[in-house]
Amino acid sequence: MTDMSERFMVVPVDAGDARPGEDRADGDSVFLDAGAGEDERRGSVPILLQYSREPNRFGDGNPRESSLFLNNTDDEKGNLYDGKNMALFEEEMDSNPMVSSLLNKLANYTNLTQGVREHEEADEDEGAKKKTVKSPQMGTFIGVYLPCLQNILGVILFLRMTWIVGTAGILESFIIVSMCCSCTMLTAISMSAIATNGVVPAGGSYYMISRSLGPEFGGAVGLCFYLGTTFAGAMYILGTIEILLTYILPSAAIFKTEDKELQAEAMLNNMRVYGTCCLTLMSLVVFVGVKYVNKLALVFLACVVLSILAIYAGVIKTIFEPPVFPVCLLGNRTLQNHDFDKCLKTDIINNVTVTTKLWSLFCKGPELNASCNEYFTLNNVTEIPGIPGLTSGVISENMWSSYGPAGMLVEKPIEAETASDTSQDIYMPYVVNDITTFFTLLVGIYFPSVTGIMAGSNRSGDLRDAQRSIPIGTILAIVTTTIIYLSCVVLFGACIEGVVLRDKFGDSVKGNLVIGTLSWPSPWVIVIGSFFSCCGAGLQSLTGAPRLLQAIARDGIVPFLEVFGHGKANGEPTWALLLTGLICESGILIASLDAVAPILSMFFLMCYLFVNLACALQTLLRTPNWRPRFKYYHWALSFLGMSLCLALMFISSWYYALVAMLIAGCIYKYIEYRGAEKEWGDGIRGLSLNAARYALIRLEEAPPHTKNWRPQLLVLLNLDTELSVKHPRLLSFTTQLKAGKGLTIVGSVLEGTYLTKETEAKTAEQNIKSAMTAEKTKGFCHVVASSNLRDGISHLIQSAGLGGMKHNSVLMAWPASWKQSNDPQSWKSFIETIRETTAANQALLVAKNIDTFPQKERLTEGTIDVWWIVHDGGLLMLLPFLLRQHKVWRKCKMRIFTVAQMDDNSIQMKKDLQMFLYHLRLNAEVEVVEMHESDISAFTYEKTLVMEQRSQMLKQMQLSRTEREREAQLIHDRNTASHSALNDKADATPERVHMTWTKEKYFTERNRNREAIANMAVRDLFNMKPKQSNVRCMHTAVKLNEVVVCKSQDAHLVLLNMPGPPKNREGDENYMEFLEVMMEGLNRVLLVRGGGQEVITIYS
C-alpha cells in the first residue's frame, strides 16, 4: 500500500537535459516551481517537480501542484480560475465566467443614485476620474413613505376638498375618495410585484412599464406619464398663484374690475401672468441648482404634515370652542362678506336708525326710503356660524349632494320669500357656482390628489433595499392618505356649514381659505403651509419630468426625442427642461385649476392602467423570470385595477380619455414604425409567443381551404464571395408579390460544416436581413451550412417553417450561367430542386433575368402576359392578380393566352375562358393562339443534334477528368504503400524487383490508347443521330417560343407553365436546353409550376 505521506520533492537536473516547460522526447515535461526563490528561477539549473503525498506545510492536507502553466502570471486569467481543477473549462472562461467571479461582480454591484441631485462631476472627458458613488442608505420611512406622503397630499386637499364635500355630499364624496384610493391601492399592489421582480434601476415607473410591456407600450405610457407630471407642475403652480392672489395678497392682482361679470375673467388673466412668472422662476431654480430643491424637500414635507395636524387639531377644538366665522344669509342665500362688516340692513347709532353698508349694496342709496332689490326687501338677513362644530349635527344636512349649473346661487335649505324679478341677481353680492357641477367632474378634479404613488419607485436607486421598501412604504402611504381623505370627508361634513363648504373661494367667510377656518391655531397655518407645499410640489414636478423625458430619449425608442437626451456637462437635462417649461406653460394658459386637473388625471390613469396590465400579463403568462418577492398580488386584482382605471378615465371625462388614448396610440404606432428595436424581455413578447403557439397549433389541425390559399414563399438566394445577396431584386419581387401578407422565409446555403462556417453563416444572415430591410421584405431569414448545395436546399425545402406556418411555394432565380459553368452541379442541383418541390407538393416560381425586374419604379403602361398551356391549379392566374395589388404593377393590364390544337374549337375556347375569368372575378384580355401541325424543320433537327453532341462531349470530358483523378490517386496510394514497406524493412536488405514496363514504355502506351479512344469519340460525334424524343421536345420548345415572342415580346412580364424534368436523369441537361430555347428572346420571364392543388375558386 502506498504511503499517504508523499509530497513534492525538488530535485536538480542537468541543464542540458531540458529547458523549463519544454516537452522531452519521452513525453515527460519539466516544470518550474512557482514557489522557488528568484535566484533559483534565474539560475542555470532548472527544477523538476516530483509528486509526494506528504501533507504540505500550509495545513489543508491537500497536495498542491505548482507549475509555470497553472500559476499563470496573467492577472486576468488568474482571477478566472484557480489551479488545474478548472482546466477543462479554461477555453470557455471568456464567455462563461466562473461562479465565484460572477458572484464577486454581483456583490460589488450598486445602483447609481438617481433623480433630483446634481452629478458629482462633469463627464465630458471620457478619461476623467469620477468620484465613488456612495452606497444607497435610505430606508422605507425616509426613502418611500415620506416622499409618497408628500406627493399624494397636496393642492387638491387644501383648495378643493371642502368644495367637493359640500357639492357632492358626504356619501358621494366618500364614494369618489373610495374609488380613487382603491384604484391607487390596486395599482400599488401591481407596482410592488413588478418592483420586487428584480433590481429596478433609476427610472422608476417608466422603467418598470417599458421593460414589462416592451418599447412600444413603454414609450407611449412613458410619454403619457411625462405629460401627466408636466401638467401636474402646471396645476401646482396654478394652486400656488390661487393661494397667493385669493388668500395672501389679493391687492397684488394686476387686472382688477368692479364689474362682477368680468371678475372671473380678470382673475384668469392674473393667473396667467403670475403663473408664467412663477414658472420662469421655478425653471431657473431647477436649471441652476437642483440640489437646493432636494434639500428643501424636507421643508415642504414639514409644511404638509403641520397643515394636516392643524386641521385635526382644529376639528378637536370645535368640540369645545368652535372658531368664530359668521356667515351672513339674506333669506336662504349666502352673501359675499367682503364689502360690509355687519350682517344688518339697518343699525341704531345714538338712537338713530341708519342704513349699513349691506343696504347700499342692494339699494340705490343710503336713504331708508330708497328703492331696493325685491328679494332684499322681502327677506331678512340672518347670521349663522360658519363652523358650528363637530357636535352640532350639521352632518345630516351635508349628507346629500347639491349639484347645479354655473351661476346657481349657494342657498341654505330653509324657507324664504321668492322674488318675481331675478334678472338683477347676477349683479348682487351672492355666492354662486363658478362652474357647472356634476359627479363625474368632481371625480376628475379629485383624482390628482391620490396620484404620487410612484414617488417611492422613482427613488429606487437611493434605497438600501428597494425590493422590501417599495411595497411596504407605498402601501402604508396609500393607507395613511386614504384614512386622512376619508376622515376629512366625514369631519368637514360634520364641522362646517354646508353653504360654506360649497363656497369654493371662501367669499362668505371674508375671503378666508375654507379649510383654514377649521384649523388651529390660525387659518394662516394652512394658508402658508399649503402655499409652500404647492411651491415644493411644482418644483419637484419640474425636476422630475425633464429627467423622465431624458430617460425616454436616451433609450432611443422615439427617434425625434433624441435631442432631449442631451444636457449640461453634469448631465442636467437642459433641453428636456425647456420642453417641459413650454408644455407646462400651455397648462398655465388654461388658468383654471378645475380645467387642468382632469387632463393630468387622464395621463396618470393611463399610466396606472398599464402598470396593472403589465402585472396581470406577466402573472397569466407565467414567465419564468416572473418571481416577485412581494407575494400578495393576483392577476384578478391587477385586472380589477386596470378596469377601474379605464372606468375612471371615462367617468372623469370621456373626451379627454379618448384624446389621451389617441395620443398614446399615435406614439405606439410611431415607435412601432420608426422606433429602435429593443429586446427587453417584455411581457408583450411573451404574449405574442403564446398567441403564435396557439395559432400554429390551430393551423396544423386542418389544411388551408382553397379560398385561404396564398403563396407562402421560401425564397432561395444565392450569395457572392463576400456573402452579400447576389440578386436583391428577387427580394423586391417577393415584396411586390406578397404585399406584406402571409409567410416569407428567405433561405440560403453555405457549403461546409456548421462548425467551420458558423461565423460566415451569421454574417450571411445579417447581410440577408439588411437586404430584406432595404427591399422592405417582411419575413424570416434562414441560413444553413451543408456539405453540398443540393443537400442544403433539400433541407430548407423539407424543414423551413413551423407547424402550419410552412411554405407552399419556392421562388428562385434562373441559373443564367449554367452553360458556361464548368461544374455541372449548378444545374443539376436546380433540376433536383424542381423534383423535390414536386415531391413535396409545393409550387415553384423561377424568375429569368431577375436583375431586370422593376424595383421601386412604377410601370406606367404595359401588360402582364400569362401563357396558360396546362392547368396547374390556377396559380398562373392568381399570381398576376397578386402582383397588380402592388403599386409597381398596378397599371399593367393582364392578358391570358392559351394554345389551341388542330382539333380544338378556338372560338368556343375563348368564350369558355372568358366566362371562367368572369366567375373568378378577374379582369383580363383573352386570346386563343392556334398552333398548327407542321413538319419538324431542319433548324430544329440541327439544334437538337448540336445539343446532343455537346452533351456527349461534356460527358467524355468528365470521364477523362475522372480518369486523371483516379490515376493520380493510384500513384499516391502506390507511393504511400512503398513508403510504408521501406519503413517496415528499414533494417532488411532490399530485394531486387524485375519490372516488365519501363516508365517511357508505360507513358507511350497510355498516350497511344488515349489517341485511339479520342479518334473513336470524334468519329462517333460526327456520325451520331439525335433521339426522336429529343427532336420532338425541341420542336415544341421552338414553336412555342416563336408564338410567345411574337405575341409577348414587349410585355413587362411573361408567365409560362414550367414543364417537369424528365424521369430519366440522363436527359437532365437536355431539359435545361429545352427551357432555355422556350424562353429565348424574352426579357422578363416567370416559370410557374403548380403544387398539385387548386389555389383559386369561383365559389364565395
Side-chain angles (χ1 to χ4, degrees):
M1 186 174 174
T2 308
D3 185 11
M4 293 300 292
S5 62
E6 294 179 0
R7 56 186 175 81
F8 280 115
M9 301 283 294
V10 180
V11 240
V13 293
D14 269 340
D17 288 348
R19 290 186 298 275
E22 182 182 24
D23 287 345
R24 302 201 308 183
D26 59 357
D28 295 330
S29 297
V30 179
F31 296 98
L32 183 66
D33 184 11
E38 193 70 18
D39 295 332
E40 287 179 312
R41 281 198 201 120
R42 293 178 182 173
S44 59
V45 183
I47 293 168
L48 177 67
L49 290 180
Q50 287 186 348
Y51 190 70
S52 172
R53 288 281 180 185
E54 183 180 344
N56 58 46
R57 291 190 303 269
F58 300 97
D60 57 3
N62 296 320
R64 297 197 173 192
E65 183 179 348
S66 300
S67 83
L68 182 65
F69 303 115
L70 295 182
N71 288 323
N72 201 322
T73 54
D74 185 350
D75 292 337
E76 185 179 343
K77 291 187 178 178
N79 290 334
L80 290 175
Y81 63 95
D82 182 23
K84 69 174 185 179
N85 297 330
M86 292 293 126
L88 255 181
F89 301 94
E90 69 184 66
E91 289 186 0
E92 300 177 357
M93 287 297 178
D94 292 335
S95 57
N96 303 328
M98 276 183 61
V99 174
S100 57
S101 171
L102 178 66
L103 293 175
N104 185 43
K105 288 178 182 176
L106 288 174
N108 294 328
Y109 172 79
T110 55
N111 285 338
L112 288 179
T113 53
Q114 62 148 70
V116 290
R117 70 173 57 190
E118 288 188 324
H119 290 240
E120 295 291 330
E121 190 174 319
D123 52 359
E124 290 174 307
D125 302 321
E126 292 181 3
K129 291 183 179 179
K130 298 184 179 180
K131 294 183 181 178
T132 305
V133 179
K134 292 182 180 178
S135 176
Q137 289 300 321
M138 284 202 286
T140 304
F141 186 75
I142 298 292
V144 181
Y145 180 76
L146 290 181
C148 284
L149 209 65
Q150 181 185 355
N151 278 266
I152 295 171
L153 299 171
V155 60
I156 300 295
L157 172 65
F158 299 125
L159 295 183
R160 293 292 181 269
M161 193 67 183
T162 52
W163 174 72
I164 289 171
V165 173
T167 306
I170 294 173
L171 285 179
E172 290 185 26
S173 298
F174 209 85
I175 292 170
I176 292 172
V177 173
S178 299
M179 276 199 311
C180 295
C181 290
S182 299
C183 176
T184 54
M185 177 59 82
L186 292 170
T187 304
I189 291 171
S190 299
M191 185 193 72
S192 299
I194 297 172
T196 58
N197 187 50
V199 179
V200 179
S205 55
Y206 162 68
Y207 182 91
M208 288 191 298
I209 297 167
S210 61
R211 269 59 179 180
S212 296
L213 292 177
E216 292 87 0
F217 277 112
V221 180
L223 284 174
C224 283
F225 191 54
Y226 162 74
L227 290 172
T229 309
T230 305
F231 275 102
M235 184 187 73
Y236 290 128
I237 291 171
L238 289 173
T240 304
I241 303 306
E242 184 177 309
I243 294 168
L244 177 70
L245 295 181
T246 308
Y247 307 114
I248 298 178
L249 208 61
S251 58
I254 299 172
F255 300 94
K256 298 178 182 178
T257 179
E258 295 298 326
D259 192 342
K260 190 178 177 183
E261 286 182 318
L262 300 176
Q263 283 179 359
E265 188 61 37
M267 183 61 180
L268 292 179
N269 289 330
N270 285 320
M271 298 277 280
R272 291 184 180 105
V273 172
Y274 276 99
T276 304
C277 296
C278 185
L279 172 63
T280 307
L281 184 64
M282 286 184 176
S283 299
L284 285 173
V285 170
V286 171
F287 178 76
V288 172
V290 177
K291 57 185 175 183
Y292 301 115
V293 178
N294 211 28
K295 288 177 180 177
L296 286 171
L298 196 60
V299 177
F300 300 140
L301 176 61
C303 292
V304 173
V305 173
L306 287 174
S307 301
I308 300 292
L309 292 176
I311 293 168
Y312 283 108
V315 168
I316 294 169
K317 185 175 178 293
T318 61
I319 300 172
F320 313 105
E321 186 184 346
V324 180
F325 284 100
V327 177
C328 190
L329 299 179
L330 176 61
N332 61 354
R333 299 177 181 178
T334 314
L335 298 178
Q336 294 183 0
N337 196 354
H338 289 296
D339 301 321
F340 59 90
D341 50 358
K342 292 182 180 180
C343 185
L344 297 169
K345 290 184 180 180
T346 57
D347 195 10
I348 299 173
I349 300 175
N350 297 327
N351 294 326
V352 178
T353 302
V354 293
T355 57
T356 59
K357 289 182 180 179
L358 182 61
W359 180 282
S360 61
L361 295 175
F362 287 90
C363 301
K364 293 183 177 177
E367 299 83 11
L368 288 170
N369 59 355
S371 61
C372 297
N373 179 271
E374 183 184 358
Y375 188 84
F376 181 77
T377 307
L378 292 173
N379 291 281
N380 294 324
V381 291
T382 53
E383 194 172 64
I384 60 171
I387 313 292
L390 193 61
T391 56
S392 63
V394 75
I395 187 170
S396 59
E397 295 179 14
N398 296 330
M399 195 64 71
W400 312 110
S401 61
S402 180
Y403 302 117
M408 185 186 84
L409 300 173
V410 176
E411 298 175 338
K412 186 174 173 62
I414 57 175
E415 291 185 4
E417 298 291 334
T418 56
S420 57
D421 182 18
T422 58
S423 59
Q424 298 300 311
D425 287 350
I426 58 172
Y427 303 107
M428 298 297 118
Y430 296 127
V431 177
V432 296
N433 283 357
D434 63 328
I435 57 172
T436 302
T437 54
F438 42 90
F439 178 79
T440 57
L441 172 78
L442 299 187
V443 174
I445 291 173
Y446 172 76
F447 189 80
S449 66
V450 296
T451 60
I453 61 171
M454 300 288 189
S457 62
N458 289 343
R459 293 166 178 258
S460 56
D462 298 329
L463 300 173
R464 188 184 304 117
D465 184 0
Q467 296 193 5
R468 179 179 175 274
S469 297
I470 289 175
I472 296 173
T474 306
I475 291 172
L476 278 179
I478 293 173
V479 169
T480 306
T481 52
T482 302
I483 291 170
I484 290 172
Y485 282 134
L486 291 175
S487 62
C488 281
V489 167
V490 176
L491 294 176
F492 291 166
C495 293
I496 305 175
E497 179 61 48
V499 292
V500 178
L501 286 173
R502 283 178 280 146
D503 181 6
K504 186 186 288 185
F505 301 107
D507 292 320
S508 60
V509 285
K510 294 189 178 293
N512 279 298
L513 182 62
V514 174
I515 199 171
T517 60
L518 185 62
S519 65
W520 179 87
S522 167
W524 285 102
V525 175
I526 295 286
V527 172
I528 301 301
S530 60
F531 178 78
F532 283 112
S533 169
C534 290
C535 281
L539 280 170
Q540 288 184 339
S541 294
L542 288 177
T543 304
R547 278 161 180 74
L548 180 58
L549 181 62
Q550 188 181 42
I552 298 169
R554 285 182 173 175
D555 262 347
I557 57 174
V558 186
F560 70 84
L561 289 180
E562 286 180 4
V563 65
F564 299 107
H566 307 297
K568 291 195 294 186
N570 61 358
E572 290 299 313
T574 311
W575 293 107
L577 178 61
L578 183 63
L579 180 66
T580 303
L582 292 173
I583 296 173
C584 199
E585 176 63 20
S586 67
I588 286 169
L589 292 177
I590 296 173
S592 170
L593 189 70
D594 303 320
V596 172
I599 296 175
L600 68 102
S601 293
M602 290 304 114
F603 292 124
F604 277 120
L605 278 166
M606 184 160 287
C607 177
Y608 297 165
L609 183 148
F610 281 102
V611 169
N612 285 298
L613 174 63
C615 182
L617 203 62
Q618 298 276 30
T619 308
L620 288 172
L621 289 176
R622 295 174 183 168
T623 314
N625 191 50
W626 180 247
R627 303 184 298 275
R629 288 191 178 279
F630 181 77
K631 300 298 180 186
Y632 306 101
Y633 70 93
H634 193 270
W635 66 266
L637 291 177
S638 300
F639 189 79
L640 180 63
M642 184 177 70
S643 305
L644 194 53
C645 288
L646 191 64
L648 284 173
M649 284 176 70
F650 282 93
I651 286 172
S652 301
S653 174
W654 65 268
Y655 47 89
Y656 277 160
L658 290 177
V659 169
M661 293 170 80
L662 181 65
I663 291 171
C666 290
I667 297 167
Y668 177 93
K669 294 306 290 182
Y670 176 80
I671 295 172
E672 187 180 53
Y673 178 66
R674 291 292 305 276
E677 291 184 5
K678 299 282 182 183
E679 177 49 62
W680 287 334
D682 50 88
I684 294 297
R685 185 173 177 81
L687 183 64
S688 302
L689 286 170
N690 268 13
R693 181 185 62 83
Y694 175 76
L696 284 171
I697 292 171
R698 288 291 304 275
L699 275 175
E700 207 170 16
E701 289 175 359
H705 192 270
T706 304
K707 289 186 286 187
N708 297 327
W709 196 96
R710 65 166 61 246
Q712 318 285 10
L713 289 180
L714 169 62
V715 185
L716 297 177
L717 287 181
N718 293 326
L719 303 177
D720 57 20
T721 53
E722 296 179 353
L723 300 178
S724 298
V725 177
K726 192 179 286 186
H727 302 296
R729 296 209 176 194
L730 202 60
L731 294 173
S732 303
F733 184 69
T734 305
T735 305
Q736 295 157 17
L737 187 61
K738 300 287 291 176
K741 303 293 190 299
L743 174 71
T744 302
I745 302 172
V746 181
S748 188
V749 178
L750 297 179
E751 292 193 60
T753 63
Y754 184 70
L755 291 177
T756 58
K757 294 288 183 180
E758 179 190 1
T759 308
E760 288 91 333
K762 289 179 179 176
T763 305
E765 194 167 327
Q766 287 301 319
N767 292 344
I768 292 173
K769 284 181 179 177
S770 301
M772 290 172 69
T773 304
E775 302 298 337
K776 297 183 179 178
T777 305
K778 295 180 180 178
F780 308 100
C781 175
H782 196 181
V783 177
V784 297
S786 180
S787 57
N788 58 69
L789 186 66
R790 176 179 162 184
D791 288 348
I793 293 175
S794 178
H795 294 157
L796 280 174
I797 290 172
Q798 292 177 65
S799 62
L802 182 65
M805 283 295 281
K806 285 184 71 70
H807 59 279
N808 54 27
S809 309
V810 176
L811 173 63
M812 60 192 302
W814 170 259
S817 60
W818 70 274
K819 279 188 177 180
Q820 290 77 28
S821 176
N822 293 325
D823 183 12
Q825 290 303 322
S826 61
W827 54 266
K828 283 187 177 179
S829 63
F830 173 77
I831 295 175
E832 288 303 314
T833 302
I834 300 173
R835 289 193 172 105
E836 287 185 355
T837 53
T838 305
N841 294 323
Q842 294 174 4
L844 178 65
L845 313 176
V846 180
K848 183 192 174 188
N849 294 335
I850 186 63
D851 293 329
T852 66
F853 275 53
Q855 195 169 15
K856 294 178 182 176
E857 60 276 11
R858 299 189 186 190
L859 301 174
T860 52
E861 292 178 351
T863 60
I864 300 174
D865 288 359
V866 178
W867 284 84
W868 192 25
I869 300 164
V870 294
H871 182 56
D872 59 350
L875 185 59
L876 267 172
M877 285 173 284
L878 183 63
L879 292 175
F881 169 76
L882 294 174
L883 278 175
R884 291 180 67 232
Q885 305 301 307
H886 196 271
K887 60 184 179 182
V888 170
W889 303 90
R890 191 164 292 152
K891 293 189 177 179
C892 293
K893 293 180 180 177
M894 180 176 165
R895 295 194 302 180
I896 294 183
F897 297 89
T898 190
V899 176
Q901 301 298 326
M902 281 299 292
D903 53 349
D904 291 330
N905 185 343
S906 58
I907 297 173
Q908 188 61 40
M909 277 182 68
K910 185 172 182 179
K911 287 182 180 178
D912 292 342
L913 184 55
Q914 285 175 334
M915 182 57 67
F916 183 56
L917 291 176
Y918 174 77
H919 286 305
L920 288 175
R921 290 90 65 199
L922 294 175
N923 297 320
E925 295 178 14
V926 175
E927 188 170 339
V928 178
V929 179
E930 294 180 352
M931 287 184 68
H932 300 290
E933 288 288 343
S934 61
D935 294 333
I936 296 171
S937 64
F939 169 76
T940 303
Y941 189 88
E942 185 69 25
K943 201 169 182 65
T944 310
L945 182 60
V946 170
M947 176 189 75
E948 291 194 0
Q949 286 175 346
R950 178 180 179 276
S951 179
Q952 190 67 24
M953 193 181 296
L954 284 171
K955 283 179 183 176
Q956 289 174 3
M957 288 172 63
Q958 184 66 22
L959 281 172
S960 62
R961 187 185 301 118
T962 308
E963 185 185 79
R964 285 198 303 272
E965 288 172 358
R966 193 182 298 121
E967 213 169 79
Q969 184 64 35
L970 185 62
I971 292 168
H972 176 266
D973 293 344
R974 282 177 180 171
N975 288 337
T976 307
S978 62
H979 182 69
S980 301
L982 284 173
N983 286 344
D984 293 340
K985 301 177 181 180
D987 300 330
T989 307
E991 297 179 0
R992 186 178 301 276
V993 179
H994 297 280
M995 295 183 66
T996 308
W997 291 84
T998 63
K999 187 176 182 181
E1000 291 78 8
K1001 188 176 180 181
Y1002 168 73
F1003 279 115
T1004 304
E1005 188 65 24
R1006 189 186 66 174
N1007 291 335
R1008 185 185 302 153
N1009 291 340
R1010 280 186 178 174
E1011 285 173 8
I1013 293 168
N1015 291 333
M1016 193 183 301
V1018 170
R1019 282 198 304 273
D1020 288 346
L1021 284 176
F1022 283 107
N1023 293 332
M1024 70 184 295
K1025 290 183 179 181
K1027 293 180 181 178
Q1028 190 63 28
S1029 59
N1030 287 343
V1031 174
R1032 288 175 58 248
C1033 289
M1034 182 63 77
H1035 176 69
T1036 304
V1038 169
K1039 295 298 290 181
L1040 189 59
N1041 176 257
E1042 287 174 0
V1043 175
V1044 174
V1045 169
C1046 177
K1047 297 286 185 181
S1048 302
Q1049 192 167 18
D1050 297 327
H1052 285 311
L1053 181 63
V1054 177
L1055 279 78
L1056 280 171
N1057 277 120
M1058 184 181 192
K1063 293 181 180 178
N1064 183 4
R1065 295 177 187 270
E1066 291 180 0
D1068 283 358
E1069 190 176 3
N1070 298 336
Y1071 171 72
M1072 294 293 291
E1073 190 72 41
F1074 298 147
L1075 292 180
E1076 191 75 64
V1077 170
M1078 193 171 69
M1079 296 186 291
E1080 195 173 355
L1082 297 173
N1083 184 19
R1084 302 187 191 117
V1085 182
L1086 187 67
L1087 293 175
V1088 180
R1089 185 163 174 76
Q1093 62 176 328
E1094 293 291 331
V1095 300
I1096 194 166
T1097 178
I1098 63 174
Y1099 299 105
S1100 61

